[in-house]
PDB file of all heavy atoms in Angstrom:
ATOM      1  N   VAL A 137      75.335 101.693  90.940  1.00  0.00           N
ATOM      2  CA  VAL A 137      76.583 102.376  91.276  1.00  0.00           C
ATOM      3  C   VAL A 137      76.252 103.860  91.385  1.00  0.00           C
ATOM      4  O   VAL A 137      75.684 104.443  90.452  1.00  0.00           O
ATOM      5  CB  VAL A 137      77.676 102.158  90.203  1.00  0.00           C
ATOM      6  CG1 VAL A 137      78.938 102.948  90.554  1.00  0.00           C
ATOM      7  CG2 VAL A 137      77.999 100.682  90.050  1.00  0.00           C
ATOM      8  N   VAL A 138      76.554 104.438  92.542  1.00  0.00           N
ATOM      9  CA  VAL A 138      76.344 105.870  92.767  1.00  0.00           C
ATOM     10  C   VAL A 138      77.717 106.534  92.773  1.00  0.00           C
ATOM     11  O   VAL A 138      78.603 106.124  93.531  1.00  0.00           O
ATOM     12  CB  VAL A 138      75.611 106.132  94.103  1.00  0.00           C
ATOM     13  CG1 VAL A 138      75.458 107.632  94.346  1.00  0.00           C
ATOM     14  CG2 VAL A 138      74.262 105.431  94.131  1.00  0.00           C
ATOM     15  N   ILE A 139      77.880 107.521  91.900  1.00  0.00           N
ATOM     16  CA  ILE A 139      79.157 108.235  91.800  1.00  0.00           C
ATOM     17  C   ILE A 139      78.891 109.712  92.033  1.00  0.00           C
ATOM     18  O   ILE A 139      78.036 110.316  91.377  1.00  0.00           O
ATOM     19  CB  ILE A 139      79.806 108.026  90.412  1.00  0.00           C
ATOM     20  CG1 ILE A 139      80.126 106.546  90.215  1.00  0.00           C
ATOM     21  CG2 ILE A 139      81.055 108.890  90.261  1.00  0.00           C
ATOM     22  CD1 ILE A 139      80.640 106.197  88.832  1.00  0.00           C
ATOM     23  N   GLU A 140      79.616 110.268  92.990  1.00  0.00           N
ATOM     24  CA  GLU A 140      79.527 111.697  93.275  1.00  0.00           C
ATOM     25  C   GLU A 140      80.901 112.297  93.005  1.00  0.00           C
ATOM     26  O   GLU A 140      81.886 111.905  93.634  1.00  0.00           O
ATOM     27  CB  GLU A 140      79.104 111.923  94.725  1.00  0.00           C
ATOM     28  CG  GLU A 140      78.873 113.367  95.049  1.00  0.00           C
ATOM     29  CD  GLU A 140      78.356 113.592  96.465  1.00  0.00           C
ATOM     30  OE1 GLU A 140      78.055 112.594  97.156  1.00  0.00           O
ATOM     31  OE2 GLU A 140      78.264 114.759  96.864  1.00  0.00           O
ATOM     32  N   ILE A 141      80.956 113.223  92.045  1.00  0.00           N
ATOM     33  CA  ILE A 141      82.235 113.825  91.657  1.00  0.00           C
ATOM     34  C   ILE A 141      82.241 115.296  92.060  1.00  0.00           C
ATOM     35  O   ILE A 141      81.333 116.054  91.688  1.00  0.00           O
ATOM     36  CB  ILE A 141      82.479 113.712  90.133  1.00  0.00           C
ATOM     37  CG1 ILE A 141      82.421 112.249  89.689  1.00  0.00           C
ATOM     38  CG2 ILE A 141      83.836 114.329  89.767  1.00  0.00           C
ATOM     39  CD1 ILE A 141      82.501 112.041  88.183  1.00  0.00           C
ATOM     40  N   ASP A 142      83.267 115.681  92.836  1.00  0.00           N
ATOM     41  CA  ASP A 142      83.477 117.083  93.203  1.00  0.00           C
ATOM     42  C   ASP A 142      84.569 117.640  92.305  1.00  0.00           C
ATOM     43  O   ASP A 142      85.689 117.104  92.266  1.00  0.00           O
ATOM     44  CB  ASP A 142      83.927 117.189  94.669  1.00  0.00           C
ATOM     45  CG  ASP A 142      82.865 116.694  95.639  1.00  0.00           C
ATOM     46  OD1 ASP A 142      81.669 116.916  95.377  1.00  0.00           O
ATOM     47  OD2 ASP A 142      83.238 116.088  96.656  1.00  0.00           O
ATOM     48  N   PHE A 143      84.221 118.714  91.597  1.00  0.00           N
ATOM     49  CA  PHE A 143      85.179 119.334  90.697  1.00  0.00           C
ATOM     50  C   PHE A 143      85.903 120.471  91.405  1.00  0.00           C
ATOM     51  O   PHE A 143      85.350 121.103  92.307  1.00  0.00           O
ATOM     52  CB  PHE A 143      84.463 119.826  89.427  1.00  0.00           C
ATOM     53  CG  PHE A 143      84.032 118.680  88.562  1.00  0.00           C
ATOM     54  CD1 PHE A 143      82.785 118.094  88.729  1.00  0.00           C
ATOM     55  CD2 PHE A 143      84.888 118.136  87.619  1.00  0.00           C
ATOM     56  CE1 PHE A 143      82.394 117.011  87.960  1.00  0.00           C
ATOM     57  CE2 PHE A 143      84.510 117.052  86.849  1.00  0.00           C
ATOM     58  CZ  PHE A 143      83.265 116.498  87.017  1.00  0.00           C
ATOM     59  N   PRO A 144      87.142 120.739  91.003  1.00  0.00           N
ATOM     60  CA  PRO A 144      87.933 121.777  91.669  1.00  0.00           C
ATOM     61  C   PRO A 144      87.389 123.179  91.397  1.00  0.00           C
ATOM     62  O   PRO A 144      86.502 123.372  90.557  1.00  0.00           O
ATOM     63  CB  PRO A 144      89.329 121.597  91.056  1.00  0.00           C
ATOM     64  CG  PRO A 144      89.087 120.961  89.737  1.00  0.00           C
ATOM     65  CD  PRO A 144      87.866 120.100  89.917  1.00  0.00           C
ATOM     66  N   ASP A 145      87.931 124.133  92.109  1.00  0.00           N
ATOM     67  CA  ASP A 145      87.533 125.528  91.978  1.00  0.00           C
ATOM     68  C   ASP A 145      88.076 126.083  90.665  1.00  0.00           C
ATOM     69  O   ASP A 145      89.197 126.560  90.582  1.00  0.00           O
ATOM     70  CB  ASP A 145      88.078 126.323  93.171  1.00  0.00           C
ATOM     71  CG  ASP A 145      87.459 127.688  93.286  1.00  0.00           C
ATOM     72  OD1 ASP A 145      86.499 127.971  92.546  1.00  0.00           O
ATOM     73  OD2 ASP A 145      87.937 128.480  94.124  1.00  0.00           O
ATOM     74  N   PHE A 146      87.271 125.948  89.621  1.00  0.00           N
ATOM     75  CA  PHE A 146      87.625 126.391  88.271  1.00  0.00           C
ATOM     76  C   PHE A 146      86.376 127.063  87.703  1.00  0.00           C
ATOM     77  O   PHE A 146      85.263 126.602  87.966  1.00  0.00           O
ATOM     78  CB  PHE A 146      88.017 125.178  87.415  1.00  0.00           C
ATOM     79  CG  PHE A 146      88.374 125.513  85.984  1.00  0.00           C
ATOM     80  CD1 PHE A 146      89.677 125.865  85.648  1.00  0.00           C
ATOM     81  CD2 PHE A 146      87.410 125.484  84.988  1.00  0.00           C
ATOM     82  CE1 PHE A 146      90.011 126.182  84.338  1.00  0.00           C
ATOM     83  CE2 PHE A 146      87.734 125.799  83.675  1.00  0.00           C
ATOM     84  CZ  PHE A 146      89.045 126.150  83.349  1.00  0.00           C
ATOM     85  N   PRO A 147      86.525 128.137  86.953  1.00  0.00           N
ATOM     86  CA  PRO A 147      85.325 128.795  86.413  1.00  0.00           C
ATOM     87  C   PRO A 147      84.702 128.014  85.246  1.00  0.00           C
ATOM     88  O   PRO A 147      84.904 128.332  84.080  1.00  0.00           O
ATOM     89  CB  PRO A 147      85.857 130.161  85.955  1.00  0.00           C
ATOM     90  CG  PRO A 147      87.299 129.936  85.676  1.00  0.00           C
ATOM     91  CD  PRO A 147      87.747 128.858  86.641  1.00  0.00           C
ATOM     92  N   TYR A 148      83.955 126.973  85.569  1.00  0.00           N
ATOM     93  CA  TYR A 148      83.316 126.135  84.543  1.00  0.00           C
ATOM     94  C   TYR A 148      82.161 126.900  83.896  1.00  0.00           C
ATOM     95  O   TYR A 148      81.288 127.427  84.585  1.00  0.00           O
ATOM     96  CB  TYR A 148      82.796 124.833  85.151  1.00  0.00           C
ATOM     97  CG  TYR A 148      83.897 123.928  85.640  1.00  0.00           C
ATOM     98  CD1 TYR A 148      84.224 123.880  86.974  1.00  0.00           C
ATOM     99  CD2 TYR A 148      84.617 123.137  84.743  1.00  0.00           C
ATOM    100  CE1 TYR A 148      85.248 123.056  87.427  1.00  0.00           C
ATOM    101  CE2 TYR A 148      85.632 122.314  85.178  1.00  0.00           C
ATOM    102  CZ  TYR A 148      85.952 122.280  86.523  1.00  0.00           C
ATOM    103  OH  TYR A 148      86.969 121.479  86.966  1.00  0.00           O
ATOM    104  N   SER A 149      82.153 126.915  82.577  1.00  0.00           N
ATOM    105  CA  SER A 149      81.056 127.547  81.836  1.00  0.00           C
ATOM    106  C   SER A 149      79.903 126.549  81.709  1.00  0.00           C
ATOM    107  O   SER A 149      80.057 125.358  82.008  1.00  0.00           O
ATOM    108  CB  SER A 149      81.536 127.978  80.450  1.00  0.00           C
ATOM    109  OG  SER A 149      81.809 126.818  79.651  1.00  0.00           O
ATOM    110  N   ILE A 150      78.786 127.021  81.234  1.00  0.00           N
ATOM    111  CA  ILE A 150      77.650 126.137  80.980  1.00  0.00           C
ATOM    112  C   ILE A 150      78.048 125.080  79.957  1.00  0.00           C
ATOM    113  O   ILE A 150      77.697 123.905  80.087  1.00  0.00           O
ATOM    114  CB  ILE A 150      76.421 126.951  80.516  1.00  0.00           C
ATOM    115  CG1 ILE A 150      75.928 127.824  81.667  1.00  0.00           C
ATOM    116  CG2 ILE A 150      75.312 126.031  80.015  1.00  0.00           C
ATOM    117  CD1 ILE A 150      74.887 128.856  81.268  1.00  0.00           C
ATOM    118  N   LYS A 151      78.823 125.498  78.945  1.00  0.00           N
ATOM    119  CA  LYS A 151      79.299 124.551  77.921  1.00  0.00           C
ATOM    120  C   LYS A 151      80.176 123.468  78.555  1.00  0.00           C
ATOM    121  O   LYS A 151      80.009 122.280  78.270  1.00  0.00           O
ATOM    122  CB  LYS A 151      80.087 125.297  76.844  1.00  0.00           C
ATOM    123  CG  LYS A 151      80.633 124.384  75.763  1.00  0.00           C
ATOM    124  CD  LYS A 151      81.444 125.158  74.732  1.00  0.00           C
ATOM    125  CE  LYS A 151      82.047 124.203  73.709  1.00  0.00           C
ATOM    126  NZ  LYS A 151      82.883 124.912  72.741  1.00  0.00           N
ATOM    127  N   HIS A 152      81.111 123.861  79.437  1.00  0.00           N
ATOM    128  CA  HIS A 152      81.966 122.882  80.117  1.00  0.00           C
ATOM    129  C   HIS A 152      81.121 121.872  80.886  1.00  0.00           C
ATOM    130  O   HIS A 152      81.353 120.663  80.823  1.00  0.00           O
ATOM    131  CB  HIS A 152      82.917 123.565  81.105  1.00  0.00           C
ATOM    132  CG  HIS A 152      83.918 124.482  80.490  1.00  0.00           C
ATOM    133  ND1 HIS A 152      84.393 125.590  81.147  1.00  0.00           N
ATOM    134  CD2 HIS A 152      84.536 124.468  79.285  1.00  0.00           C
ATOM    135  CE1 HIS A 152      85.260 126.223  80.384  1.00  0.00           C
ATOM    136  NE2 HIS A 152      85.376 125.557  79.239  1.00  0.00           N
ATOM    137  N   LYS A 153      80.142 122.371  81.613  1.00  0.00           N
ATOM    138  CA  LYS A 153      79.288 121.500  82.427  1.00  0.00           C
ATOM    139  C   LYS A 153      78.495 120.526  81.559  1.00  0.00           C
ATOM    140  O   LYS A 153      78.340 119.356  81.909  1.00  0.00           O
ATOM    141  CB  LYS A 153      78.342 122.328  83.291  1.00  0.00           C
ATOM    142  CG  LYS A 153      79.043 123.056  84.416  1.00  0.00           C
ATOM    143  CD  LYS A 153      78.025 123.856  85.213  1.00  0.00           C
ATOM    144  CE  LYS A 153      78.672 124.597  86.345  1.00  0.00           C
ATOM    145  NZ  LYS A 153      77.697 125.348  87.153  1.00  0.00           N
ATOM    146  N   LYS A 154      77.998 121.006  80.419  1.00  0.00           N
ATOM    147  CA  LYS A 154      77.248 120.130  79.516  1.00  0.00           C
ATOM    148  C   LYS A 154      78.145 119.041  78.953  1.00  0.00           C
ATOM    149  O   LYS A 154      77.737 117.885  78.824  1.00  0.00           O
ATOM    150  CB  LYS A 154      76.600 120.942  78.398  1.00  0.00           C
ATOM    151  CG  LYS A 154      75.397 121.722  78.852  1.00  0.00           C
ATOM    152  CD  LYS A 154      74.730 122.459  77.713  1.00  0.00           C
ATOM    153  CE  LYS A 154      73.507 123.200  78.248  1.00  0.00           C
ATOM    154  NZ  LYS A 154      72.787 123.890  77.200  1.00  0.00           N
ATOM    155  N   ILE A 155      79.373 119.409  78.616  1.00  0.00           N
ATOM    156  CA  ILE A 155      80.341 118.420  78.114  1.00  0.00           C
ATOM    157  C   ILE A 155      80.591 117.354  79.179  1.00  0.00           C
ATOM    158  O   ILE A 155      80.531 116.155  78.913  1.00  0.00           O
ATOM    159  CB  ILE A 155      81.663 119.107  77.704  1.00  0.00           C
ATOM    160  CG1 ILE A 155      81.459 119.942  76.431  1.00  0.00           C
ATOM    161  CG2 ILE A 155      82.776 118.089  77.514  1.00  0.00           C
ATOM    162  CD1 ILE A 155      82.622 120.877  76.111  1.00  0.00           C
ATOM    163  N   ILE A 156      80.852 117.795  80.396  1.00  0.00           N
ATOM    164  CA  ILE A 156      81.142 116.874  81.500  1.00  0.00           C
ATOM    165  C   ILE A 156      79.933 115.977  81.778  1.00  0.00           C
ATOM    166  O   ILE A 156      80.074 114.767  81.966  1.00  0.00           O
ATOM    167  CB  ILE A 156      81.581 117.658  82.759  1.00  0.00           C
ATOM    168  CG1 ILE A 156      82.986 118.248  82.526  1.00  0.00           C
ATOM    169  CG2 ILE A 156      81.534 116.780  84.002  1.00  0.00           C
ATOM    170  CD1 ILE A 156      83.428 119.231  83.589  1.00  0.00           C
TER     171      ILE A 156
END
Side-chain angles (χ1 to χ4, degrees):
V137 177
V138 177
I139 297 174
E140 185 176 353
I141 303 174
D142 296 324
F143 289 90
D145 193 8
F146 179 87
Y148 293 100
S149 68
I150 293 169
K151 179 182 177 183
H152 296 149
K153 289 180 180 182
K154 285 183 179 182
I155 290 168
I156 289 170

